[in-house]
Amino acid sequence: MALTKEQLPQLERMCEALYTSSNADERKQAEHMLKVFSTNPEYATQCQMILQNSTSPYAQLLASSSLVRLVTDHFLPANVKTDIRGYVTNYLASHGASLMPFVVTSLVQLLCRVVKLGWFENEGHRECPQDVRKFLEQESPVHVYLGLRILCQLVAEMNTPCPGRSLTQHRKTAVSFRDTALCDIFTWAISCLASVTGAALPSAIASANASASENGGTGGRPSTPPGGVSPPSPAGNAAHAPRPNQPPLRPQARSQDEKEKMLDQTLNLALKCLSYDFVGTCLDESSEDLGTIQVPTSWRPYLEDPQTMVLFIDTYAATQPPLSNCALECLVRIASVRRSLFSGEAERTKFLSRLLMGTRDILRNQTGLAEHENYHEFCRLLGRLKTNYQLSELVGLDSYAEWISRVHEFTISSLVGWRWAQGSIFYLLGLWSRLVSSAPYLKSTSPSLLENYVPLIYQAYVTSRVESVQAVYDGSVGEDEDLLEIEDSLSDQMEALPYLCRFKYEQSAEFLCSMMDPTMAEYFNAVESLKKTMEASASGISTPPAGLLDANALKAIDLLEGRLTWFVHIISAVVRGRLSSGGSSATAEMQETVDGDLSARCFRILNLVDSTTPDHGEAAAAAAAAAAIGSPQAASAAATASAAAAAAERAASGPYSRVYNKSRQRLELALLSFFQSFRKVYIGESAMHSSRVYMRLNERLGLHDHLVVLGVMVRKVYFNLRVYRTHAEIIDQTLKLFQDLASGYMSGKQLHRLDAVHYVLCSHTESSFPFLRERGNLRSRTTFYHTLGRLLFMDDATSRFRAFVLPIHNTLCELASVPDVTLRDTTECRRRMIGLSRDLRGLAQATSSRKTYTMVYEWLYPKHTQLFLRALSIWTADTDLAHPILKLFNELALNKTQRITFDASSPGGILLFREISKVVCLYGEYVCQEAVVNAAAQAASAQANAGADIPPAPGTPEPGGGPSGGGGSSRGDVYTLRYKGIWISLMMLTRCLGGGYVNFGVFDLYGDPSLNDAVRWALRMCLSIPVGDLHGYKKLSRAHYSLLEQLCHSHPSSIINTDVETFSHLFRSLEMGLRSLEVSISSQCASALDSLAAFCFNANSSMVQSQQAAAAAAQQAAAIAQANAGSAEAAAAAAAAAAAAANGSLGIGMPSARDAEAAQLMAKHLRMNPQLVHDALKALYEIVLFEECSNQWSLSRPMLSLALLDVEAFERVQHELVSQGQGTANNPERAQRLRTCFTRLMHDVSPSLEPKNRDRFTQNLTVVRLDFQSRT
């Protein structure tokens, strides 16, 4: 429907309602009416008409944004793109000054998108940068500013992958733009920057401008009218340097505001040029390490020119943020250029010298460093110096001595002023750590001076971190500025700190101990007073005696624990740094000795911390160990341990308890970090058990070897799991330590020797570990029992296993005796079932051998599996319980490391699958109920209605709230209500079908419906998922396509023996999966399609060949009998021919009746939906020929089988791709090349699916694809 000028006012009102109305229904209605402009390519001319005739900014925004979507999502002819580019360019030139900013932004995006997508279709698109240059030549500052904006967006567009385009297509365009236009644009940015700031041009650009004047350039303003530009050039190629017929750029600002706007766009343009992905490395902009920037060699004259760097440094000095920090960011990129760019070492040294002197002068004068944005970016610039240059190069410069001194002073001031520079310390510490790590390899005669500054920086760091605790304690710093609370910054700093500390290790350790020992002594006294106070409180004394702690003293303990937390974190990082430190054997022995000194202090802090829980100590641990090893005093020992546990709980809840104190919890986390570091270096496979660390630990604390230290760690694990049961982070980190210790081969074997571990294996219930009762620790239960299972199964002892599962067995038996009504209505029963499901899943995860899995399976089946089936039937709608039960059976179905292997006479695999089938059917029956589907649909409706196809104008409310609004929770609700349970069920069935431990032929043979029922409900669950949601949830899509691949491969008849609608839906979903960005899903879909097509083709071929062979043999028998009637030879020949005919009639070489019936049914499905094979083939060829695909071999498999299955569809696909394919519709040469490729593709390929024939087709496809893509 054509839009007339009379209808334009109505459309403008709708656009205004879409972007500005506060009424959601009104916005939704307007969006529905206007959506056609962005979805129907025929409305492209209507959008241009709106731009031409409407003065409403919202109508203009609708038209421009719709054109962007049309150009991006739909294939438009090359001439249409050319027309759009010329129209938008002239429209911006003539109307740009009067347009609203958000309209200009949308139009600029449209122009740049059209140029990128049509880059190789028309040479005029490649001339766009030269056309935009005419904006920069205008007298009007508005046109200059607009030209800079267009160039900024163009560079960004070329550097960003476009939706719907493969990475290969993107890189091809990006590389062409890099080689033909990017260098020009960078020089234009430098010229504009020099002109606006009044600085001198770099000599390379100035000489090019002089050459332009000598060769006919006007040298002045062009004759183009001030309000417009000349039409786009029809042809021409951009050079690597300014063209000889172009005048120099000298834009001038008429006011300070115009100057700042020009500077902003000019600096942004230069930054985008320097940030370009030159070689396709796809650098992550969020990463702090930019790597080396691979600028082309054509940039060499401009980067080697001294004035280029001076220009950016002067611009930084003369401006304020955000202009100044943008100039610094450009310098960061310039400092990162590749080493081979320079013409020689002399030029590189001069470049580095200028960079060093520039940063030195900034430090000397403190230029701009009072601004936080400048400060941060300058720290990044300093960090880049050592990343891209060698220490020997820095040391050899004359300005190095002053520079390193200035950087040292700057670092010290940054550390002291940590409130100001806490986000920038990382770069400075990284600079010093890289300098230190290079020091051993320095062969220069010039001193590095690091020994003068690095110890001072390390001392300043330690001092400032410790003093920051006092600032938090005094209240002068908010909790959000507490350095211990900023985990990311803390971990980053701890990575660099070991290099600084170990540079002069003995000196650094001595300083650390001099600060740490007084704090520990003070803390020891405070702990002793705290213990007396707790004892008095426990004895019922209402007024504590003199000398005990008051409220202020308790706060002082917070301060001491904060300081100790920093010390422990530092020691943890330093000990972990031993892995990356080298040196001679003497140096190694010295470092191990110092490690022992520092580690001993951490173990001493551990004793002090744990001692504030009175009844937790060696007595309780010894009693527990005695009970574990079965000593004669086992009963009394167990009672003592139980009493100690109860006392620990009372202390934890007392008024003077430190358990719930934040400072104590952070100290506990620091100690766990130290244990991890110590474990990695001195415990386990790579540890040196005769290390001097243990000699020093033995001298200080009596910890003479790694086994004793392991015992300390296990006791700490036991203590934390009992006392900090409500602190999720401490529980998680404690269990991670326990799991890491058990996962190591050597450390796990050593753990198995500890009595404390045996006690834990015997007493692992909720009464011994109260954290298991907490709702917030449900996920931790699986980790806990997984770790215990690893330790339990190390010796495969059946008696130990029985003793371990006895408490769980008793609980399961107790719950099994509860009636269904009581089970459903009792909260405690529900809680225990959730916990048991998670516990048993962790135990099942730990089984990695046939023997251990069989022990778990025979214990659970059949007695206890019935309880979980009952629970699932009762609480199917309760996701908190249903999902753990599903995950338990999902784990039992997984045949990892071939652990599920039953005896030849055992029905174990069949019985296991029957239980899995019951679970799948039970959950599938519930989740496919209409009420459940409707409830999930209502939960997702808000998210479905929130998406807006048309972007809002800047500063206006987003229609429907957008994806970041309330829709996210709805999306999470539908996942929890349905999709999570569905993908677990599908994955469970997939694991059974592909596990190799079930003979599925038994089920049909004996009439058992378990297999058919499970597959039927699984397919019903698949069909109940909307296509958009199927591809919106990764786990759901992976499970869906994994099941379809397994069914198509092993049970194709289960897919084929469905109604035509179901078959078509599943086939279409496989076709959509081919286009998935996830390679594994694409490969699975290709494999599934190949299995289906091969099954049908082979069955049909076998039947035809057998029938033909039987008919031929019968004819031969008749002919022989007729020609040689009465002879013995004739009788023999007739008998042989009759036998051959009988083979055909008996079915030898033919598919089974069931397969033949399924093949005929599939042929019927395809006849009713002839587009299925056609669309799948077209998708495959479009992906392989026109897009980037890393799984070409996988995609080639179904291409041949589908082509043989439907030859007519294959011929139609060839014709469509040649006549209407991507880039062939208006390019006869390319169309002919593609036609030739299809001819070569089937060369020497026979109509069969024999392996050799398949390989020949794949080889042809590879050759054809490379040839086609290399020439287009």
Side-chain angles (χ1 to χ4, degrees):
M1 176 180 176
L3 182 69
T4 63
K5 292 185 178 180
E6 289 75 16
Q7 296 172 321
L8 194 58
Q10 181 182 359
L11 181 135
E12 291 175 344
R13 288 192 296 272
M14 294 175 62
C15 292
E16 187 171 358
L18 174 65
Y19 292 114
T20 63
S21 176
S22 58
N23 188 313
D25 294 335
E26 188 177 356
R27 290 199 309 268
K28 187 182 300 183
Q29 183 180 3
E31 178 188 346
H32 178 72
M33 297 295 294
L34 299 174
K35 187 177 181 180
V36 64
F37 286 93
S38 62
T39 57
N40 191 342
E42 296 179 359
Y43 278 75
T45 56
Q46 303 295 319
C47 293
Q48 293 188 33
M49 192 275 287
I50 295 173
L51 287 173
Q52 184 67 33
N53 297 283
S54 177
T55 58
S56 169
Y58 302 110
Q60 295 167 348
L61 176 61
L62 170 74
S64 57
S65 60
S66 297
L67 283 172
V68 171
R69 286 181 177 270
L70 290 175
V71 169
T72 305
D73 300 337
H74 301 273
F75 175 77
L76 298 182
N79 61 323
V80 175
K81 295 178 185 175
T82 303
D83 293 342
I84 293 176
R85 175 181 58 83
Y87 177 81
V88 174
T89 302
N90 290 312
Y91 186 85
L92 285 171
S94 57
H95 298 84
S98 60
L99 295 175
M100 295 293 288
F102 55 84
V103 178
V104 174
T105 300
S106 184
L107 286 170
V108 168
Q109 183 186 13
L110 171 61
L111 173 61
C112 298
R113 183 67 55 83
V114 168
V115 170
K116 178 178 181 178
L117 296 180
W119 187 258
F120 291 109
E121 295 178 358
N122 189 302
E123 291 185 357
H125 293 300
R126 296 193 289 275
E127 282 296 308
C128 180
Q130 298 297 329
D131 293 335
V132 176
R133 189 184 193 276
K134 296 182 176 65
F135 283 82
L136 307 182
E137 298 170 358
Q138 302 302 309
E139 294 278 1
S140 169
V142 175
H143 285 85
V144 174
Y145 175 75
L146 188 57
L148 292 171
R149 284 192 64 178
I150 295 174
L151 290 175
C152 282
Q153 180 62 32
L154 182 60
V155 176
E157 184 73 34
M158 291 294 183
N159 198 35
T160 306
C162 184
R165 303 264 290 183
S166 68
L167 184 60
T168 299
Q169 294 169 319
H170 161 68
R171 285 306 307 166
K172 189 174 181 181
T173 305
V175 168
S176 176
F177 178 79
R178 176 200 68 189
D179 295 339
T180 60
L182 190 60
C183 186
D184 285 344
I185 295 175
F186 179 68
T187 59
W188 300 343
I190 297 297
S191 299
C192 291
L193 181 61
S195 178
V196 173
T197 59
L201 269 177
S203 58
I205 300 177
S207 61
N209 291 339
S211 175
S213 300
E214 293 174 2
N215 286 278
T218 62
R221 296 295 171 186
S223 59
T224 306
V229 297
S230 58
S233 303
N237 293 317
H240 291 298
R243 301 188 178 189
N245 60 346
Q246 292 177 337
L249 298 176
R250 300 191 184 96
Q252 298 296 326
R254 299 171 183 171
S255 65
Q256 183 64 27
D257 182 59
E258 290 180 352
K259 179 179 179 179
E260 290 182 357
K261 291 175 64 176
M262 283 190 187
L263 276 177
D264 179 49
Q265 289 301 318
T266 303
L267 288 171
N268 276 324
L269 178 58
L271 179 59
K272 289 185 183 300
C273 291
L274 291 168
S275 303
Y276 199 79
D277 190 4
F278 295 98
V279 292
T281 53
C282 298
L283 293 174
D284 184 3
E285 291 295 331
S286 63
S287 174
E288 301 298 349
D289 188 5
L290 294 174
T292 301
I293 297 179
Q294 303 290 335
V295 295
T297 307
S298 58
W299 293 44
R300 177 186 295 161
Y302 314 113
L303 293 177
E304 284 186 350
D305 195 311
Q307 186 58 30
T308 301
M309 188 179 299
V310 171
L311 179 60
F312 283 104
I313 293 176
D314 291 346
T315 302
Y316 160 72
T319 56
Q320 296 294 323
L323 301 178
S324 54
N325 60 286
C326 187
L328 275 179
E329 197 167 353
C330 291
L331 285 171
V332 172
R333 262 65 176 186
I334 291 175
S336 305
V337 296
R338 59 186 173 94
R339 183 187 190 93
S340 56
L341 173 70
F342 300 93
S343 54
E345 287 298 324
E347 291 297 329
R348 177 180 170 84
T349 302
K350 292 177 183 178
F351 178 85
L352 177 59
S353 178
R354 290 192 295 270
L355 194 58
L356 214 65
M357 289 189 292
T359 54
R360 178 204 62 189
D361 292 340
I362 293 175
L363 289 171
R364 179 191 294 170
N365 303 319
Q366 293 293 298
T367 308
L369 297 181
E371 300 290 343
H372 187 271
E373 295 86 348
N374 294 345
Y375 195 98
H376 180 77
E377 206 61 47
F378 185 72
C379 290
R380 292 189 68 198
L381 176 58
L382 291 177
R384 292 302 305 166
L385 289 177
K386 180 56 188 74
T387 303
N388 214 33
Y389 302 96
Q390 301 297 327
L391 178 60
S392 57
E393 296 176 304
L394 295 171
V395 169
L397 298 176
D398 296 336
S399 56
Y400 171 77
E402 183 182 358
W403 177 82
I404 194 70
S405 175
R406 297 284 182 183
V407 173
H408 155 255
E409 295 172 358
F410 180 71
T411 306
I412 296 292
S413 64
S414 300
L415 292 171
V416 173
W418 53 270
R419 299 181 213 179
W420 168 261
Q422 58 179 315
S424 309
I425 294 297
F426 164 74
Y427 303 105
L428 298 176
L429 293 179
L431 167 65
W432 287 101
S433 66
R434 286 187 284 268
L435 289 172
V436 167
S437 61
S438 301
Y441 310 102
L442 180 63
K443 298 180 180 179
S444 174
T445 57
S446 302
S448 66
L449 305 178
L450 294 178
E451 61 276 3
N452 298 337
Y453 301 122
V454 171
L456 299 178
I457 292 172
Y458 169 77
Q459 294 172 16
Y461 178 84
V462 175
T463 304
S464 62
R465 304 304 103 168
V466 174
E467 290 177 351
S468 69
V469 179
Q470 182 69 50
V472 176
Y473 173 75
D474 294 339
S476 58
V477 173
E479 291 187 0
D480 58 332
E481 296 181 291
D482 189 350
L483 298 181
L484 286 172
E485 293 295 318
I486 309 175
E487 296 182 4
D488 293 338
S489 176
L490 179 63
S491 61
D492 290 339
Q493 294 173 22
M494 290 302 138
E495 290 180 4
L497 191 63
Y499 296 96
L500 275 62
C501 182
R502 289 185 178 273
F503 182 64
K504 296 289 183 181
Y505 197 17
E506 290 179 304
Q507 177 182 346
S508 300
E510 182 180 354
F511 172 79
L512 182 62
C513 294
S514 67
M515 293 191 66
M516 189 175 182
D517 290 344
T519 305
M520 290 181 61
E522 204 173 338
Y523 186 66
F524 175 79
N525 296 330
V527 165
E528 290 298 318
S529 299
L530 177 61
K531 290 165 63 176
K532 294 178 182 179
T533 305
M534 295 176 68
E535 291 172 0
S537 175
S539 62
I541 300 177
S542 57
T543 304
L548 300 186
L549 296 183
D550 55 10
N552 292 331
L554 291 174
K555 291 182 179 180
I557 294 181
D558 293 347
L559 174 63
L560 295 173
E561 288 179 341
R563 292 175 177 172
L564 291 176
T565 301
W566 271 112
F567 290 134
V568 174
H569 274 305
I570 292 171
I571 292 176
S572 172
V574 171
V575 170
R576 186 169 58 249
R578 177 69 179 89
L579 294 173
S580 56
S581 63
S584 61
S585 58
T587 303
E589 291 180 357
M590 179 274 295
Q591 293 193 2
E592 291 173 8
T593 301
V594 178
D595 282 351
D597 282 332
L598 296 179
S599 299
R601 286 168 169 80
C602 288
F603 283 107
R604 190 174 295 119
I605 292 174
L606 171 67
N607 295 333
L608 292 175
V609 168
D610 290 352
S611 65
T612 54
T613 304
D615 293 315
H616 180 277
E618 294 298 326
I629 62 178
S631 65
Q633 299 82 14
S636 59
T640 303
S642 178
E649 291 192 32
R650 289 196 303 272
S653 58
Y656 296 97
S657 171
R658 306 288 299 165
V659 172
Y660 302 106
N661 188 274
K662 187 175 182 178
S663 63
R664 167 61 64 83
Q665 293 170 354
R666 292 194 303 195
L667 181 55
E668 291 285 2
L669 291 172
L671 288 170
L672 291 172
S673 174
F674 164 74
F675 283 148
Q676 285 283 19
S677 299
F678 193 89
R679 175 192 66 81
K680 292 176 182 178
V681 181
Y682 294 109
I683 295 177
E685 287 72 22
S686 60
M688 298 163 287
H689 301 312
S690 59
S691 169
R692 291 180 176 268
V693 168
Y694 293 106
M695 296 174 59
R696 192 53 57 99
L697 288 176
N698 186 33
E699 296 173 3
R700 299 284 191 269
L701 300 172
L703 306 176
H704 52 81
D705 61 15
H706 58 280
L707 189 61
V708 179
V709 173
L710 272 176
V712 173
M713 292 185 179
V714 171
R715 287 196 294 274
K716 183 58 181 174
V717 168
Y718 179 79
F719 174 80
N720 285 357
L721 295 181
R722 286 198 53 82
V723 174
Y724 294 101
R725 59 181 183 272
T726 60
H727 195 285
E729 188 176 3
I730 291 181
I731 292 296
D732 290 343
Q733 294 300 319
T734 301
L735 288 176
K736 187 177 185 306
L737 172 64
F738 194 27
Q739 187 177 40
D740 291 342
L741 289 171
S743 299
Y745 178 78
M746 290 300 299
S747 58
K749 290 291 186 182
Q750 298 299 331
L751 277 180
H752 208 259
R753 296 170 54 188
L754 296 176
D755 294 337
V757 170
H758 291 290
Y759 167 72
V760 173
L761 291 176
C762 293
S763 305
H764 52 81
T765 59
E766 295 180 354
S767 59
S768 299
F769 293 96
F771 85 96
L772 297 173
R773 292 196 294 263
E774 300 297 329
R775 178 178 176 82
N777 297 326
L778 288 177
R779 292 180 180 272
S780 300
R781 295 184 69 136
T782 304
T783 305
F784 179 61
Y785 274 91
H786 181 207
T787 306
L788 295 182
R790 292 183 67 94
L791 296 171
L792 175 68
F793 294 135
M794 281 185 177
D795 57 3
D796 294 345
T798 306
S799 58
R800 286 187 180 275
F801 175 75
R802 291 173 179 170
F804 178 84
V805 300
L806 182 60
I808 304 176
H809 176 83
N810 294 335
T811 303
L812 290 172
C813 293
E814 180 183 346
L815 290 172
S817 63
V818 178
D820 287 353
V821 176
T822 308
L823 197 65
R824 180 180 60 249
D825 298 336
T826 306
T827 305
E828 179 63 17
C829 292
R830 173 183 174 276
R831 186 193 66 80
R832 294 170 76 180
M833 284 301 305
I834 294 174
L836 287 170
S837 301
R838 293 181 177 274
D839 298 345
L840 292 177
R841 179 189 169 207
L843 185 62
Q845 286 176 341
T847 60
S848 57
S849 65
R850 174 185 177 182
K851 182 176 182 179
T852 56
Y853 181 87
T854 303
M855 284 193 295
V856 173
Y857 170 77
E858 291 179 347
W859 168 58
L860 287 176
Y861 180 83
K863 185 171 184 178
H864 297 313
T865 54
Q866 298 304 313
L867 173 62
F868 289 101
L869 289 173
R870 280 180 57 203
L872 184 60
S873 64
I874 293 173
W875 285 297
T876 315
D878 187 348
T879 57
D880 289 338
L881 177 55
H883 292 167
I885 293 177
L886 292 174
K887 287 190 174 183
L888 169 61
F889 282 94
N890 187 36
E891 181 61 36
L892 290 174
L894 177 61
N895 191 15
K896 62 181 181 182
T897 65
Q898 296 300 309
R899 63 179 182 173
I900 309 180
T901 305
F902 297 99
D903 293 333
S905 59
S906 171
I910 297 173
L911 297 175
L912 174 60
F913 179 78
R914 292 178 64 182
E915 297 301 305
I916 298 296
S917 176
K918 293 176 184 177
V919 173
V920 172
C921 295
L922 186 60
Y923 188 77
E925 184 177 2
Y926 160 76
V927 83
C928 291
Q929 291 177 3
E930 185 177 356
V932 178
V933 175
N934 292 338
Q938 292 174 4
S941 61
Q943 176 68 20
N945 294 331
D949 286 321
I950 302 176
T956 61
E958 295 187 6
S964 60
S969 61
S970 298
R971 194 171 176 86
D973 289 339
V974 70
Y975 177 77
T976 304
L977 286 174
R978 295 193 69 236
Y979 297 153
K980 185 174 182 179
I982 287 177
W983 78 255
I984 298 173
S985 301
L986 299 182
M987 185 58 65
M988 186 192 316
L989 181 58
T990 303
R991 289 176 171 181
C992 284
L993 295 176
Y997 51 84
V998 185
N999 185 351
F1000 290 102
V1002 172
F1003 296 101
D1004 278 342
L1005 182 64
Y1006 293 100
D1008 191 328
S1010 297
L1011 175 61
N1012 293 332
D1013 290 346
V1015 172
R1016 185 179 77 255
W1017 282 110
L1019 292 180
R1020 286 191 61 179
M1021 285 189 280
C1022 291
L1023 294 172
S1024 69
I1025 306 170
V1027 176
D1029 289 348
L1030 176 62
H1031 294 275
Y1033 298 92
K1034 287 186 177 181
K1035 290 184 178 180
L1036 181 63
S1037 60
R1038 290 170 185 169
H1040 172 84
Y1041 289 116
S1042 296
L1043 176 63
L1044 291 186
E1045 180 194 19
Q1046 194 62 50
L1047 288 175
C1048 292
H1049 178 70
S1050 304
H1051 306 273
S1053 58
S1054 62
I1055 298 289
I1056 299 171
N1057 292 330
T1058 56
D1059 57 85
V1060 63
E1061 290 81 7
T1062 300
F1063 179 82
S1064 300
H1065 178 90
L1066 297 175
F1067 203 97
R1068 288 288 185 191
S1069 70
L1070 291 174
E1071 177 206 329
M1072 294 182 62
L1074 291 173
R1075 302 182 183 275
S1076 173
L1077 298 178
E1078 195 166 344
V1079 176
S1080 61
I1081 290 180
S1082 177
S1083 300
Q1084 286 174 342
C1085 293
S1087 174
L1089 288 172
D1090 179 51
S1091 298
L1092 278 179
F1095 170 79
C1096 186
F1097 176 80
N1098 288 331
N1100 292 334
S1101 299
S1102 298
M1103 289 188 293
V1104 171
Q1105 292 173 3
S1106 298
Q1107 293 171 358
Q1108 291 175 347
Q1115 292 177 0
Q1116 183 181 4
I1120 293 174
Q1122 184 177 2
N1124 301 294
S1127 65
E1129 293 81 359
N1143 287 338
S1145 63
L1146 292 174
I1148 298 176
M1150 293 182 63
S1152 65
R1154 180 179 178 180
D1155 289 349
E1157 182 181 353
Q1160 293 174 0
L1161 182 59
M1162 181 174 172
K1164 180 181 178 181
H1165 289 332
L1166 295 178
R1167 285 195 301 271
M1168 297 179 67
N1169 291 274
Q1171 285 296 112
L1172 291 178
V1173 175
H1174 168 274
D1175 293 346
L1177 273 173
K1178 188 173 182 180
L1180 285 166
Y1181 278 98
E1182 286 179 342
I1183 294 171
V1184 172
L1185 292 178
F1186 302 126
E1187 299 180 11
E1188 173 73 16
C1189 62
S1190 57
N1191 57 339
Q1192 177 193 327
W1193 187 91
S1194 299
L1195 295 179
S1196 70
R1197 301 283 99 178
M1199 294 174 76
L1200 178 60
S1201 55
L1202 288 172
L1204 296 178
L1205 182 64
D1206 193 339
V1207 178
E1208 294 182 0
F1210 178 50
E1211 292 175 350
R1212 279 188 291 140
V1213 167
Q1214 293 183 58
H1215 175 73
E1216 292 174 5
L1217 291 178
V1218 170
S1219 60
Q1220 305 171 12
Q1222 184 176 349
T1224 60
N1226 298 294
N1227 192 332
E1229 181 183 353
R1230 189 177 185 187
Q1232 179 59 36
R1233 189 178 305 120
L1234 183 58
R1235 187 179 293 107
T1236 305
C1237 288
F1238 276 121
T1239 303
R1240 295 168 54 194
L1241 177 64
M1242 303 305 294
H1243 175 69
D1244 203 24
V1245 176
S1246 61
S1248 72
L1249 293 178
E1250 296 296 329
K1252 290 184 177 180
N1253 195 53
R1254 281 178 174 269
D1255 293 340
R1256 191 177 301 114
F1257 175 82
T1258 302
Q1259 293 171 3
N1260 290 351
L1261 180 65
T1262 303
V1263 173
V1264 165
R1265 178 175 182 267
L1266 292 176
D1267 180 61
F1268 180 74
Q1269 291 188 349
S1270 64
R1271 298 171 60 187
T1272 56

